[in-house]
Coordinates of all heavy atoms in Angstrom, one line a residue:
M21 N 11.9 16.2 5.6 CA 11.1 15.1 6.1 C 9.6 15.5 6.0 O 9.2 16.6 6.3 CB 11.5 14.8 7.6 CG 12.8 14.2 7.7 SD 12.8 12.4 7.3 CE 12.0 11.8 8.8
R22 N 8.8 14.5 5.7 CA 7.4 14.8 5.6 C 6.7 13.5 5.9 O 7.0 12.4 5.5 CB 7.1 15.2 4.2 CG 5.7 15.8 4.1 CD 5.4 16.1 2.6 NE 4.0 16.6 2.6 CZ 3.6 17.8 2.5 NH1 4.6 18.7 2.3 NH2 2.4 18.2 2.4
R23 N 5.6 13.6 6.7 CA 4.8 12.5 7.1 C 3.9 12.1 6.0 O 3.2 12.9 5.4 CB 3.9 12.9 8.3 CG 3.1 11.8 8.9 CD 2.3 12.3 10.0 NE 1.4 11.4 10.6 CZ 0.1 11.1 10.1 NH1 -0.3 11.9 9.1 NH2 -0.6 10.2 10.7
L24 N 4.0 10.8 5.6 CA 3.2 10.3 4.5 C 1.9 9.8 5.0 O 0.8 10.3 4.5 CB 4.0 9.2 3.8 CG 3.3 8.6 2.5 CD1 3.0 9.6 1.5 CD2 4.1 7.5 2.0
D25 N 1.9 8.9 5.9 CA 0.7 8.3 6.4 C 1.0 7.4 7.6 O 2.1 7.2 7.9 CB 0.1 7.4 5.3 CG -1.4 7.3 5.4 OD1 -2.0 7.7 6.4 OD2 -2.1 6.9 4.4
Q26 N -0.1 7.0 8.2 CA -0.1 6.2 9.4 C -0.4 4.8 9.0 O -1.3 4.5 8.2 CB -1.1 6.7 10.4 CG -0.8 6.2 11.8 CD -1.8 6.9 12.8 OE1 -3.0 6.8 12.6 NE2 -1.3 7.6 13.8
A27 N 0.3 3.8 9.5 CA 0.1 2.4 9.2 C -0.7 1.7 10.3 O -0.5 2.1 11.5 CB 1.4 1.7 8.9
P28 N -1.5 0.8 10.1 CA -2.2 0.1 11.1 C -1.4 -0.7 12.0 O -1.8 -1.0 13.2 CB -3.2 -0.8 10.3 CG -2.7 -0.9 8.9 CD -1.9 0.3 8.7
N29 N -0.2 -1.2 11.6 CA 0.7 -1.9 12.5 C 2.1 -1.8 12.0 O 2.3 -1.4 10.8 CB 0.2 -3.3 12.8 CG 0.2 -4.1 11.5 OD1 1.2 -4.2 10.8 ND2 -0.9 -4.7 11.2
L30 N 3.0 -2.3 12.8 CA 4.4 -2.1 12.4 C 4.8 -3.0 11.2 O 5.7 -2.6 10.4 CB 5.3 -2.4 13.6 CG 6.8 -2.1 13.5 CD1 7.1 -0.7 13.1 CD2 7.6 -2.5 14.7
A31 N 4.2 -4.2 11.1 CA 4.6 -5.1 10.0 C 4.2 -4.4 8.7 O 5.0 -4.4 7.7 CB 3.8 -6.4 10.1
I32 N 3.0 -3.8 8.6 CA 2.6 -3.1 7.4 C 3.4 -1.8 7.2 O 3.8 -1.5 6.0 CB 1.1 -2.7 7.5 CG1 0.3 -4.0 7.4 CG2 0.7 -1.8 6.4 CD1 -1.2 -3.9 7.6
A33 N 3.8 -1.1 8.2 CA 4.6 0.1 8.1 C 5.9 -0.3 7.5 O 6.4 0.4 6.6 CB 4.8 0.7 9.5
T34 N 6.5 -1.4 7.9 CA 7.8 -1.8 7.4 C 7.7 -2.2 5.9 O 8.6 -1.9 5.1 CB 8.3 -3.0 8.2 OG1 8.3 -2.7 9.6 CG2 9.7 -3.4 7.8
L35 N 6.6 -2.9 5.6 CA 6.3 -3.3 4.3 C 6.3 -2.1 3.3 O 6.8 -2.1 2.2 CB 5.0 -4.1 4.2 CG 4.7 -4.9 2.9 CD1 5.4 -6.2 2.9 CD2 3.2 -5.1 2.9
W36 N 5.5 -1.1 3.8 CA 5.3 0.1 3.0 C 6.7 0.8 2.8 O 7.0 1.3 1.7 CB 4.3 1.1 3.7 CG 2.9 0.6 3.5 CD1 2.4 -0.5 2.8 CD2 1.7 1.1 4.2 NE1 1.1 -0.6 3.0 CE2 0.6 0.3 3.8 CE3 1.5 2.2 5.0 CZ2 -0.7 0.6 4.2 CZ3 0.2 2.5 5.4 CH2 -0.9 1.7 5.0
A37 N 7.4 1.0 3.9 CA 8.7 1.7 3.8 C 9.6 1.0 2.8 O 10.3 1.6 2.0 CB 9.3 1.8 5.2
D38 N 9.6 -0.4 2.9 CA 10.5 -1.2 2.0 C 10.0 -0.9 0.5 O 10.9 -0.8 -0.4 CB 10.4 -2.7 2.3 CG 11.2 -3.0 3.6 OD1 12.0 -2.2 4.0 OD2 11.0 -4.1 4.1
A39 N 8.7 -0.9 0.3 CA 8.2 -0.7 -1.1 C 8.6 0.6 -1.6 O 9.0 0.8 -2.7 CB 6.7 -0.9 -1.1
L40 N 8.5 1.6 -0.7 CA 8.9 3.0 -1.1 C 10.4 3.1 -1.5 O 10.8 3.6 -2.5 CB 8.6 4.0 0.0 CG 7.1 4.3 0.2 CD1 6.9 4.9 1.6 CD2 6.6 5.1 -0.9
R41 N 11.2 2.4 -0.6 CA 12.7 2.4 -0.8 C 13.0 1.7 -2.2 O 13.9 2.1 -2.9 CB 13.4 1.7 0.3 CG 13.5 2.6 1.5 CD 14.4 2.0 2.6 NE 13.9 2.4 3.9 CZ 13.4 1.6 4.8 NH1 13.3 0.3 4.5 NH2 13.0 2.0 6.0
S42 N 12.2 0.6 -2.5 CA 12.5 -0.1 -3.7 C 12.2 0.8 -4.9 O 12.6 0.5 -6.0 CB 11.7 -1.4 -3.7 OG 10.4 -1.2 -4.0
Q43 N 11.4 1.8 -4.7 CA 11.1 2.8 -5.8 C 12.0 4.0 -5.8 O 11.8 4.9 -6.5 CB 9.6 3.3 -5.7 CG 8.6 2.2 -5.8 CD 8.4 1.6 -7.2 OE1 8.2 2.4 -8.1 NE2 8.5 0.3 -7.3
G44 N 13.0 3.9 -5.0 CA 14.0 5.0 -4.9 C 13.6 6.1 -4.0 O 14.1 7.2 -4.1
I45 N 12.5 5.9 -3.2 CA 12.1 7.0 -2.3 C 12.6 6.7 -0.9 O 12.3 5.6 -0.3 CB 10.5 7.0 -2.3 CG1 10.0 7.3 -3.7 CG2 10.1 8.1 -1.3 CD1 8.5 7.1 -3.8
A46 N 13.4 7.6 -0.3 CA 13.9 7.4 1.0 C 12.8 7.5 2.0 O 12.2 8.6 2.2 CB 15.0 8.4 1.3
A47 N 12.5 6.5 2.7 CA 11.4 6.4 3.6 C 11.8 5.8 4.9 O 12.7 4.9 5.0 CB 10.2 5.7 3.0
S48 N 11.1 6.2 6.0 CA 11.5 5.6 7.3 C 10.2 5.4 8.1 O 9.2 6.1 7.9 CB 12.5 6.5 8.1 OG 12.0 7.8 8.2
V49 N 10.3 4.5 9.1 CA 9.2 4.3 10.0 C 9.4 5.0 11.3 O 10.5 4.8 11.9 CB 9.0 2.7 10.2 CG1 7.8 2.5 11.2 CG2 8.8 2.0 8.9
Q50 N 8.5 5.8 11.7 CA 8.7 6.5 13.0 C 7.7 6.0 14.0 O 6.7 5.3 13.7 CB 8.4 8.0 12.7 CG 9.2 8.7 11.7 CD 10.7 8.8 12.0 OE1 11.0 8.9 13.2 NE2 11.5 8.8 11.0
R51 N 8.1 6.2 15.3 CA 7.3 5.8 16.4 C 7.4 4.4 16.8 O 6.7 3.9 17.6 CB 5.9 6.2 16.2 CG 5.6 7.6 16.3 CD 4.1 7.8 16.5 NE 3.8 9.3 16.6 CZ 2.6 9.8 16.6 NH1 1.5 9.0 16.5 NH2 2.4 11.1 16.8
E52 N 8.2 3.6 16.0 CA 8.2 2.2 16.3 C 8.8 1.9 17.7 O 8.4 1.0 18.4 CB 9.0 1.4 15.3 CG 10.3 1.9 14.9 CD 10.9 1.2 13.7 OE1 10.9 0.0 13.6 OE2 11.4 1.9 12.8
F53 N 9.8 2.7 18.1 CA 10.4 2.6 19.4 C 9.5 3.1 20.5 O 9.4 2.5 21.6 CB 11.8 3.2 19.4 CG 12.7 2.7 18.4 CD1 13.1 3.5 17.3 CD2 13.2 1.4 18.4 CE1 13.9 3.0 16.3 CE2 14.0 0.9 17.4 CZ 14.4 1.7 16.4
L54 N 8.9 4.2 20.1 CA 7.9 4.8 21.1 C 6.8 3.8 21.4 O 6.4 3.6 22.5 CB 7.3 6.0 20.5 CG 6.5 7.0 21.4 CD1 7.5 7.6 22.4 CD2 5.9 8.1 20.6
A55 N 6.3 3.1 20.4 CA 5.2 2.2 20.5 C 5.6 1.0 21.5 O 4.9 0.6 22.3 CB 4.8 1.6 19.2
A56 N 6.9 0.6 21.3 CA 7.4 -0.5 22.1 C 7.4 -0.1 23.5 O 7.2 -1.0 24.4 CB 8.7 -1.0 21.6
A57 N 7.8 1.1 23.8 CA 8.0 1.6 25.1 C 6.7 2.1 25.8 O 6.6 2.3 26.9 CB 9.1 2.6 25.2
A58 N 5.7 2.3 24.9 CA 4.5 2.9 25.4 C 3.7 2.0 26.3 O 3.6 0.8 26.2 CB 3.6 3.4 24.2
G59 N 3.0 2.7 27.2 CA 2.1 2.0 28.1 C 1.1 3.0 28.5 O -0.1 2.7 28.7
Q60 N 1.6 4.2 28.5 CA 0.8 5.3 28.9 C 0.0 6.0 27.8 O -1.0 6.6 28.0 CB 1.6 6.5 29.6 CG 2.7 5.9 30.6 CD 4.0 5.7 29.9 OE1 4.0 5.2 28.7 NE2 5.1 5.9 30.5
L61 N 0.5 5.8 26.6 CA -0.2 6.4 25.5 C -1.4 5.7 25.0 O -1.4 4.4 25.0 CB 0.8 6.6 24.3 CG 1.9 7.6 24.5 CD1 2.9 7.5 23.4 CD2 1.3 9.0 24.5
P62 N -2.5 6.4 24.5 CA -3.6 5.7 23.9 C -3.1 5.0 22.6 O -2.2 5.5 22.0 CB -4.6 6.8 23.6 CG -3.8 8.0 23.7 CD -2.6 7.8 24.6
P63 N -3.7 3.9 22.3 CA -3.2 3.1 21.1 C -3.1 3.9 19.8 O -2.1 3.7 19.1 CB -4.3 2.0 20.9 CG -5.0 1.9 22.3 CD -4.9 3.3 22.9
D64 N -4.0 4.8 19.6 CA -3.9 5.6 18.3 C -2.7 6.6 18.3 O -2.4 7.2 17.3 CB -5.2 6.2 17.9 CG -5.6 7.4 18.9 OD1 -5.1 7.3 20.1 OD2 -6.2 8.3 18.5
Q65 N -2.1 6.7 19.5 CA -1.0 7.7 19.5 C 0.3 6.9 19.2 O 1.3 7.6 19.1 CB -0.9 8.3 20.9 CG -2.1 9.2 21.2 CD -2.0 10.5 20.3 OE1 -1.0 11.2 20.3 NE2 -3.1 10.7 19.6
C66 N 0.3 5.6 19.2 CA 1.6 5.0 19.0 C 1.6 4.1 17.7 O 2.3 3.2 17.6 CB 2.0 4.1 20.2 SG 0.7 3.4 21.1
L67 N 0.6 4.4 16.8 CA 0.7 3.7 15.5 C 1.9 4.2 14.8 O 2.3 5.3 14.8 CB -0.6 4.0 14.7 CG -1.8 3.3 15.2 CD1 -3.0 3.8 14.3 CD2 -1.7 1.8 15.1
P68 N 2.6 3.2 14.0 CA 3.7 3.7 13.3 C 3.4 4.6 12.1 O 2.3 4.5 11.6 CB 4.3 2.3 12.8 CG 3.2 1.4 12.8 CD 2.3 1.8 13.9
E69 N 4.2 5.5 11.8 CA 4.0 6.4 10.7 C 5.1 6.2 9.7 O 6.3 5.9 10.0 CB 4.0 7.9 11.2 CG 2.9 8.2 12.1 CD 2.9 9.6 12.6 OE1 4.0 10.2 12.6 OE2 1.9 10.1 13.0
I70 N 4.7 6.5 8.4 CA 5.7 6.5 7.4 C 6.1 7.9 7.0 O 5.2 8.8 6.8 CB 5.1 5.8 6.1 CG1 4.5 4.5 6.4 CG2 6.2 5.7 5.0 CD1 5.4 3.4 6.8
W71 N 7.4 8.2 7.1 CA 7.9 9.5 6.7 C 8.8 9.3 5.5 O 9.6 8.4 5.4 CB 8.7 10.1 7.9 CG 7.8 10.6 9.0 CD1 7.1 9.8 9.8 CD2 7.6 11.9 9.4 NE1 6.4 10.6 10.7 CE2 6.7 11.9 10.5 CE3 8.1 13.2 9.0 CZ2 6.3 13.1 11.2 CZ3 7.7 14.3 9.6 CH2 6.8 14.3 10.7
I72 N 8.8 10.3 4.6 CA 9.7 10.4 3.5 C 10.6 11.5 3.7 O 10.3 12.5 4.2 CB 9.0 10.4 2.1 CG1 8.0 11.6 2.1 CG2 8.2 9.1 1.9 CD1 7.5 11.9 0.7
D73 N 11.8 11.3 3.2 CA 12.9 12.4 3.4 C 12.7 13.6 2.5 O 12.9 14.7 2.9 CB 14.3 11.7 3.0 CG 14.8 10.9 4.2 OD1 14.0 10.7 5.2 OD2 15.9 10.3 4.1
D74 N 12.2 13.3 1.2 CA 12.2 14.4 0.3 C 10.7 14.7 -0.1 O 10.0 13.8 -0.6 CB 12.9 13.9 -1.0 CG 13.2 15.1 -2.0 OD1 12.5 16.1 -1.9 OD2 14.0 14.9 -2.8
D75 N 10.3 15.9 0.2 CA 8.9 16.3 -0.1 C 8.6 16.1 -1.6 O 7.4 15.9 -1.9 CB 8.7 17.8 0.2 CG 8.7 18.0 1.7 OD1 9.2 17.1 2.5 OD2 8.3 19.1 2.2
E76 N 9.5 16.2 -2.5 CA 9.3 16.1 -3.9 C 8.7 14.7 -4.3 O 8.1 14.5 -5.3 CB 10.5 16.4 -4.7 CG 10.9 17.9 -4.7 CD 12.1 18.1 -5.5 OE1 12.5 17.3 -6.4 OE2 12.7 19.2 -5.3
H77 N 9.0 13.8 -3.4 CA 8.6 12.4 -3.7 C 7.1 12.1 -3.2 O 6.6 11.0 -3.5 CB 9.5 11.4 -3.0 CG 10.8 11.2 -3.6 ND1 12.0 11.0 -2.9 CD2 11.2 11.3 -5.0 CE1 13.0 10.9 -3.8 NE2 12.5 11.1 -5.0
L78 N 6.5 13.1 -2.7 CA 5.2 12.9 -2.0 C 4.1 12.4 -3.0 O 3.5 11.4 -2.7 CB 4.7 14.2 -1.4 CG 3.4 14.0 -0.5 CD1 3.7 13.1 0.7 CD2 2.9 15.3 0.0
P79 N 4.0 13.0 -4.2 CA 2.9 12.5 -5.1 C 3.2 11.0 -5.5 O 2.2 10.2 -5.5 CB 3.0 13.4 -6.3 CG 3.7 14.6 -5.9 CD 4.6 14.2 -4.8
Q80 N 4.4 10.7 -5.8 CA 4.8 9.3 -6.2 C 4.6 8.4 -5.0 O 4.1 7.2 -5.1 CB 6.3 9.3 -6.6 CG 6.7 8.1 -7.4 CD 8.2 8.0 -7.5 OE1 8.9 9.0 -7.3 NE2 8.7 6.9 -7.9
A81 N 4.9 8.8 -3.8 CA 4.8 8.0 -2.6 C 3.3 7.7 -2.3 O 2.9 6.6 -1.9 CB 5.5 8.7 -1.4
E82 N 2.5 8.7 -2.5 CA 1.1 8.6 -2.2 C 0.4 7.6 -3.2 O -0.4 6.8 -2.9 CB 0.4 9.9 -2.2 CG 0.6 10.7 -1.0 CD -0.1 12.1 -1.0 OE1 -0.3 12.6 -2.1 OE2 -0.4 12.7 0.0
A83 N 0.9 7.7 -4.4 CA 0.3 6.8 -5.5 C 0.7 5.4 -5.2 O -0.1 4.4 -5.3 CB 0.9 7.2 -6.8
L84 N 1.9 5.2 -4.7 CA 2.4 3.8 -4.4 C 1.6 3.2 -3.2 O 1.2 2.1 -3.2 CB 3.9 3.8 -4.1 CG 4.5 2.5 -3.8 CD1 4.4 1.5 -5.0 CD2 6.0 2.6 -3.4
L85 N 1.4 4.1 -2.2 CA 0.7 3.7 -1.0 C -0.7 3.3 -1.4 O -1.3 2.3 -0.8 CB 0.7 4.8 0.0 CG 0.7 4.3 1.4 CD1 2.0 3.5 1.7 CD2 0.7 5.5 2.4
A86 N -1.3 4.1 -2.2 CA -2.7 3.8 -2.6 C -2.8 2.4 -3.3 O -3.7 1.7 -3.1 CB -3.2 4.9 -3.6
E87 N -1.8 2.1 -4.1 CA -1.7 0.8 -4.8 C -1.6 -0.3 -3.7 O -2.2 -1.4 -3.8 CB -0.5 0.8 -5.7 CG -0.8 0.6 -7.1 CD 0.5 0.8 -7.9 OE1 1.4 -0.1 -7.8 OE2 0.7 1.8 -8.6
L88 N -0.7 -0.1 -2.7 CA -0.5 -1.1 -1.7 C -1.7 -1.4 -0.9 O -1.9 -2.5 -0.3 CB 0.7 -0.7 -0.8 CG 2.1 -0.6 -1.5 CD1 3.1 0.0 -0.6 CD2 2.5 -2.0 -1.9
R89 N -2.5 -0.3 -0.7 CA -3.7 -0.5 0.1 C -4.8 -1.3 -0.6 O -5.7 -1.8 0.1 CB -4.3 0.9 0.5 CG -3.5 1.7 1.5 CD -4.2 3.0 1.7 NE -3.5 3.9 2.6 CZ -3.7 3.9 3.9 NH1 -4.6 3.1 4.4 NH2 -3.1 4.7 4.7
Q90 N -4.8 -1.3 -1.9 CA -5.8 -2.0 -2.6 C -5.7 -3.5 -2.5 O -4.7 -4.1 -2.6 CB -5.7 -1.6 -4.1 CG -6.5 -0.4 -4.5 CD -6.3 -0.1 -6.0 OE1 -5.8 -0.8 -6.7 NE2 -6.9 1.1 -6.3
P91 N -6.9 -4.1 -2.2 CA -6.9 -5.5 -2.2 C -6.6 -6.1 -3.6 O -6.8 -5.4 -4.6 CB -8.4 -5.9 -1.8 CG -9.1 -4.7 -2.2 CD -8.2 -3.5 -2.1
P92 N -6.1 -7.3 -3.6 CA -5.8 -7.9 -4.9 C -7.0 -7.9 -5.9 O -8.2 -8.1 -5.4 CB -5.5 -9.4 -4.6 CG -5.2 -9.4 -3.1 CD -5.9 -8.2 -2.5
Q93 N -6.8 -7.8 -7.1 CA -7.9 -7.7 -8.1 C -8.5 -9.0 -8.4 O -7.8 -10.0 -8.7 CB -7.3 -7.1 -9.4 CG -8.4 -6.7 -10.4 CD -9.3 -5.6 -9.8 OE1 -10.5 -5.9 -9.5 NE2 -8.8 -4.4 -9.8
H94 N -9.8 -9.2 -8.1 CA -10.5 -10.5 -8.3 C -11.5 -10.4 -9.3 O -12.4 -11.2 -9.5 CB -11.1 -11.0 -7.0 CG -10.1 -11.4 -6.0 ND1 -9.2 -12.4 -6.3 CD2 -9.8 -11.1 -4.7 CE1 -8.4 -12.6 -5.2 NE2 -8.8 -11.8 -4.3
R95 N -11.5 -9.3 -10.1 CA -12.6 -9.1 -11.0 C -12.1 -8.3 -12.2 O -11.4 -7.3 -12.0 CB -13.6 -8.2 -10.3 CG -15.0 -8.2 -10.8 CD -15.9 -7.6 -9.7 NE -17.3 -7.7 -10.0 CZ -18.2 -6.8 -10.4 NH1 -17.7 -5.6 -10.5 NH2 -19.4 -7.0 -10.7
W96 N -12.3 -8.8 -13.4 CA -11.8 -8.1 -14.6 C -12.7 -8.4 -15.7 O -13.4 -9.4 -15.8 CB -10.3 -8.6 -14.9 CG -10.1 -10.1 -15.1 CD1 -10.1 -11.0 -14.1 CD2 -10.0 -10.8 -16.3 NE1 -9.9 -12.2 -14.6 CE2 -9.8 -12.1 -16.0 CE3 -9.9 -10.4 -17.7 CZ2 -9.6 -13.1 -17.0 CZ3 -9.7 -11.3 -18.6 CH2 -9.6 -12.7 -18.3
Q97 N -12.6 -7.5 -16.7 CA -13.4 -7.7 -17.9 C -12.6 -8.1 -19.0 O -11.6 -7.5 -19.4 CB -14.1 -6.3 -18.2 CG -15.0 -6.5 -19.4 CD -16.3 -5.8 -19.3 OE1 -16.4 -4.8 -18.5 NE2 -17.3 -6.3 -19.9
C98 N -13.0 -9.2 -19.6 CA -12.3 -9.8 -20.8 C -12.7 -9.0 -22.0 O -13.7 -8.3 -22.1 CB -12.7 -11.2 -21.0 SG -11.9 -12.0 -22.4
A99 N -11.7 -9.0 -23.0 CA -12.0 -8.4 -24.3 C -13.3 -8.8 -25.0 O -13.9 -8.1 -25.7 CB -10.8 -8.6 -25.2
C100 N -13.7 -10.1 -24.7 CA -14.9 -10.6 -25.3 C -16.2 -10.1 -24.6 O -17.3 -10.3 -25.0 CB -14.9 -12.1 -25.3 SG -15.3 -12.8 -23.6
G101 N -15.9 -9.4 -23.5 CA -17.1 -8.7 -22.8 C -17.5 -9.5 -21.6 O -18.3 -9.0 -20.8
E102 N -16.9 -10.6 -21.3 CA -17.3 -11.4 -20.1 C -16.6 -10.8 -18.9 O -15.5 -10.4 -18.9 CB -16.8 -12.9 -20.3 CG -17.3 -13.8 -19.3 CD -18.7 -14.2 -19.5 OE1 -19.2 -14.2 -20.6 OE2 -19.4 -14.5 -18.4
L103 N -17.4 -10.7 -17.8 CA -16.9 -10.2 -16.6 C -16.4 -11.5 -15.8 O -17.2 -12.3 -15.4 CB -17.9 -9.5 -15.8 CG -17.4 -8.7 -14.6 CD1 -16.4 -7.6 -15.0 CD2 -18.6 -8.1 -13.8
V104 N -15.1 -11.6 -15.5 CA -14.6 -12.7 -14.9 C -14.3 -12.5 -13.4 O -13.6 -11.5 -13.0 CB -13.2 -13.2 -15.5 CG1 -12.7 -14.5 -14.9 CG2 -13.5 -13.4 -17.0
E105 N -14.9 -13.3 -12.5 CA -14.8 -13.0 -11.1 C -14.3 -14.3 -10.4 O -14.2 -15.3 -10.9 CB -16.2 -12.7 -10.5 CG -16.7 -11.4 -11.0 CD -18.1 -11.1 -10.4 OE1 -19.1 -11.5 -11.0 OE2 -18.2 -10.5 -9.3
G106 N -13.9 -14.0 -9.1 CA -13.5 -15.2 -8.3 C -12.0 -15.5 -8.4 O -11.6 -16.6 -7.9
G107 N -11.2 -14.6 -8.9 CA -9.8 -14.8 -8.9 C -9.3 -15.6 -10.1 O -8.1 -16.0 -10.1
F108 N -10.1 -15.9 -11.0 CA -9.6 -16.6 -12.2 C -8.8 -15.7 -13.1 O -9.1 -14.6 -13.3 CB -10.8 -17.2 -13.0 CG -11.6 -18.2 -12.3 CD1 -12.8 -17.9 -11.6 CD2 -11.2 -19.5 -12.2 CE1 -13.5 -18.9 -11.0 CE2 -11.9 -20.5 -11.6 CZ -13.0 -20.2 -10.9
E109 N -7.7 -16.3 -13.6 CA -6.8 -15.6 -14.5 C -7.1 -15.9 -16.0 O -6.4 -15.4 -16.9 CB -5.4 -15.8 -14.2 CG -5.1 -15.3 -12.8 CD -3.6 -15.4 -12.4 OE1 -2.9 -16.1 -13.2 OE2 -3.2 -14.8 -11.4
Q110 N -8.1 -16.7 -16.2 CA -8.4 -17.0 -17.6 C -9.9 -16.9 -17.8 O -10.7 -17.3 -16.9 CB -8.0 -18.5 -17.9 CG -8.1 -18.8 -19.4 CD -7.4 -20.2 -19.7 OE1 -7.1 -20.9 -18.8 NE2 -7.2 -20.5 -20.9
C111 N -10.3 -16.3 -18.9 CA -11.7 -16.1 -19.2 C -12.4 -17.5 -19.5 O -11.9 -18.3 -20.3 CB -11.9 -15.2 -20.4 SG -13.6 -15.0 -21.0
W112 N -13.5 -17.8 -18.8 CA -14.2 -19.0 -18.9 C -15.0 -19.0 -20.2 O -15.5 -20.1 -20.6 CB -15.0 -19.4 -17.7 CG -16.0 -18.4 -17.3 CD1 -17.0 -17.9 -18.1 CD2 -16.1 -17.6 -16.1 NE1 -17.8 -16.9 -17.4 CE2 -17.2 -16.8 -16.2 CE3 -15.3 -17.6 -15.0 CZ2 -17.5 -15.9 -15.1 CZ3 -15.7 -16.8 -13.9 CH2 -16.8 -15.9 -14.0
H113 N -15.2 -17.9 -20.8 CA -16.0 -17.8 -22.0 C -15.2 -18.0 -23.3 O -15.6 -18.8 -24.1 CB -16.7 -16.4 -22.1 CG -17.6 -16.2 -23.2 ND1 -18.9 -16.9 -23.3 CD2 -17.5 -15.5 -24.4 CE1 -19.4 -16.5 -24.4 NE2 -18.7 -15.7 -25.1
C114 N -14.1 -17.4 -23.4 CA -13.3 -17.5 -24.6 C -11.9 -18.0 -24.4 O -11.2 -18.3 -25.3 CB -13.2 -16.1 -25.3 SG -12.1 -14.9 -24.5
G115 N -11.5 -18.2 -23.1 CA -10.2 -18.8 -22.8 C -9.0 -17.8 -22.9 O -7.9 -18.3 -22.7
A116 N -9.3 -16.5 -23.0 CA -8.2 -15.6 -23.0 C -7.6 -15.4 -21.6 O -8.4 -15.6 -20.6 CB -8.7 -14.2 -23.6
M117 N -6.4 -15.1 -21.6 CA -5.7 -14.8 -20.3 C -6.0 -13.4 -19.8 O -6.2 -12.5 -20.6 CB -4.2 -15.0 -20.3 CG -3.8 -16.5 -20.6 SD -4.5 -17.7 -19.4 CE -3.5 -17.3 -18.0
M118 N -6.0 -13.2 -18.5 CA -6.2 -11.9 -17.9 C -5.1 -11.0 -18.4 O -3.9 -11.4 -18.4 CB -6.1 -12.0 -16.4 CG -6.4 -10.7 -15.7 SD -6.5 -10.9 -13.9 CE -4.9 -11.4 -13.4
P119 N -5.4 -9.7 -18.8 CA -4.3 -8.8 -19.2 C -3.4 -8.5 -18.0 O -3.8 -8.5 -16.9 CB -5.1 -7.5 -19.6 CG -6.5 -7.9 -19.6 CD -6.7 -9.2 -18.8
A120 N -2.1 -8.3 -18.3 CA -1.1 -8.1 -17.3 C -1.4 -6.9 -16.5 O -1.1 -6.8 -15.3 CB 0.3 -8.0 -17.9
D121 N -2.0 -5.9 -17.1 CA -2.3 -4.7 -16.3 C -3.8 -4.5 -16.4 O -4.4 -3.6 -16.4 CB -1.5 -3.5 -16.8 CG -1.6 -3.2 -18.3 OD1 -2.3 -4.0 -18.9 OD2 -1.1 -2.2 -18.8
Ligands
ZN223 ZN1 -13.3 -13.8 -22.9

């Protein structure tokens, strides 16, 4: 077992753990019960944590988490050189679609 990271709330912790499991990484959310029962603990002591079972999955788990933390991409550069902003998926200059990756 290894602590991966702390989540800002239980909903996000659950989301992250689910995403990890969908990648084949055994993950669990800790402290959720403690948080529910807490009243004496300072708030930063009862934030949920993500733990993974297998240390070997750590680099993969960290990479996935970094991806999940990133806000959706709203800015991309088209092959024609135009910088497309504002969430558009099509270049307004040449009409090309946003690349899938
Ligand atoms: Zn373009």
Side-chain angles (χ1 to χ4, degrees):
M21 288 283 284
R22 194 184 175 104
R23 180 180 177 274
L24 180 61
D25 210 342
Q26 198 172 56
N29 62 55
L30 188 57
I32 290 175
T34 308
L35 193 81
W36 286 353
D38 283 349
L40 289 164
R41 283 188 212 112
S42 74
Q43 299 287 309
I45 301 169
S48 55
V49 180
Q50 304 291 329
R51 287 194 179 173
E52 49 191 315
F53 303 112
L54 193 66
Q60 314 93 323
L61 287 170
D64 67 332
Q65 292 293 302
C66 34
L67 286 176
E69 293 179 340
I70 310 295
W71 285 68
I72 55 172
D73 282 3
D74 192 342
D75 288 16
E76 285 180 22
H77 286 146
L78 190 63
Q80 197 191 343
E82 281 179 334
L84 181 64
L85 211 62
E87 244 175 67
L88 292 171
R89 283 176 184 276
Q90 270 182 6
Q93 192 62 253
H94 287 303
R95 203 166 189 249
W96 56 284
Q97 180 136 30
C98 181
C100 75
E102 190 73 29
L103 190 63
V104 184
E105 292 179 271
F108 293 100
E109 293 185 352
Q110 192 172 9
C111 175
W112 56 62
H113 184 72
C114 72
M117 294 304 290
M118 182 172 69
D121 55 355

